[in-house]
C-alpha cells in the first residue's frame, strides 16, 4: 500500500513538472491610434546593426497566416541584410523633348524622369539565427510579426 502511494506521488510530481515546462505564447493585441502602431517593440526601433561578431537586421510584416507571416518577415530581414552587404545603387535620368505640329506651328513637349534602381546581387546568407520575435494580433485578426535575425560576420564571403 505504501509503495502504491509513493508511486502515485512520484507520478503526480512528474506530471506537474512536465506541465510546468510546456511553453505557451500569449499574443498581445496591437495598440493603434489613428492608423499608427503604438506597440512597436523597443528592440525593433533601437536594434544595433552589428557588433564584433554578428550583423543584425530587423523586419516586420502582416499576414493572416502566422507561418507565412514569419517566413515573409525573415525573408524581408535577409533581403535588408543582403542589401547592406551587396547592394548596388544606380541612378538613371531620362529627358525627352518632342516637337509636335506642322511647319511654323510647332510646340514642344518635354518629359523627364529620374529613376533610382537598387540591385542586390546574389548573396549567400546561410546559417542565420532568429534572435528575437514578437507577434501581435491586429484588430482585423491578422498577425503583425517583428523579427530580428543575426548573421556571423565570419560567414560573409
Amino acid at each position: 500500500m505504501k509503495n502504491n502511494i509513493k508511486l502515485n506521488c512520484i507520478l503526480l510530481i512528474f506530471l506537474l513538472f512536465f506541465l510546468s515546462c510546456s511553453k505557451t505564447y500569449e499574443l498581445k493585441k496591437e495598440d493603434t491610434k489613428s492608423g499608427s502602431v503604438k506597440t512597436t517593440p523597443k528592440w525593433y526601433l533601437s536594434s544595433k546593426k552589428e557588433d564584433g561578431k554578428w550583423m543584425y537586421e530587423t523586419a516586420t510584416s502582416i499576414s493572416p497566416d502566422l507561418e507565412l507571416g514569419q517566413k515573409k518577415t525573415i525573408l524581408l530581414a535577409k533581403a535588408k541584410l543582403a542589401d547592406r552587404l551587396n547592394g548596388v545603387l544606380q541612378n538613371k535620368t531620362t529627358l525627352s523633348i518632342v516637337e509636335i505640329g506642322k511647319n511654323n506651328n510647332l510646340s514642344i513637349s518635354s518629359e523627364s524622369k529620374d529613376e533610382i534602381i537598387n540591385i542586390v546581387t546574389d548573396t549567400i546568407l546561410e546559417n542565420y539565427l532568429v534572435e528575437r520575435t514578437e507577434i501581435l494580433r491586429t484588430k482585423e485578426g491578422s498577425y503583425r510579426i517583428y523579427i530580428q535575425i543575426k548573421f556571423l560576420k565570419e560567414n560573409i564571403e
Side-chain angles (χ1 to χ4, degrees), residues 48-56 150-151 153:
K48 60 185 173 187
K49 294 298 180 188
E50 61 183 273
D51 59 24
K53 188 175 180 181
W54 299 94
M55 292 187 76
Y56 301 87
K150 66 181 185 178
F151 183 74
K153 286 182 177 181

Side-chain angles (χ1 to χ4, degrees), residues 1-94:
M1 177 82 171
K2 286 186 179 182
N3 286 339
N4 201 13
I5 293 173
K6 283 183 182 179
L7 182 61
N8 285 340
C9 286
I10 290 172
L11 286 174
L12 180 63
I13 291 171
F14 179 74
L15 180 64
L16 290 174
F17 177 75
F18 183 73
L19 290 175
S20 68
C21 290
S22 66
K23 290 187 177 183
T24 58
Y25 187 86
E26 185 175 327
L27 293 178
K28 298 176 190 173
K29 293 218 183 267
E30 183 177 63
D31 188 14
T32 59
K33 184 176 183 177
S34 303
S36 63
V37 179
K38 296 192 321 184
T39 53
T40 304
K42 289 181 183 177
W43 59 262
Y44 180 81
L45 297 173
S46 62
S47 175
K48 60 185 173 187
K49 294 298 180 188
E50 61 183 273
D51 59 24
K53 188 175 180 181
W54 299 94
M55 292 187 76
Y56 301 87
E57 195 54 73
T58 58
T60 184
S61 71
I62 297 177
S63 178
D65 181 75
L66 181 59
E67 184 70 24
L68 179 60
Q70 287 179 310
K71 287 181 179 181
K72 184 168 66 170
T73 309
I74 289 170
L75 184 63
L76 289 169
K78 287 172 64 176
K80 287 169 64 177
L81 186 56
D83 183 31
R84 281 179 36 207
L85 294 171
N86 290 326
V88 178
L89 196 61
Q90 297 177 347
N91 189 339
K92 176 181 174 183
T93 303
T94 306

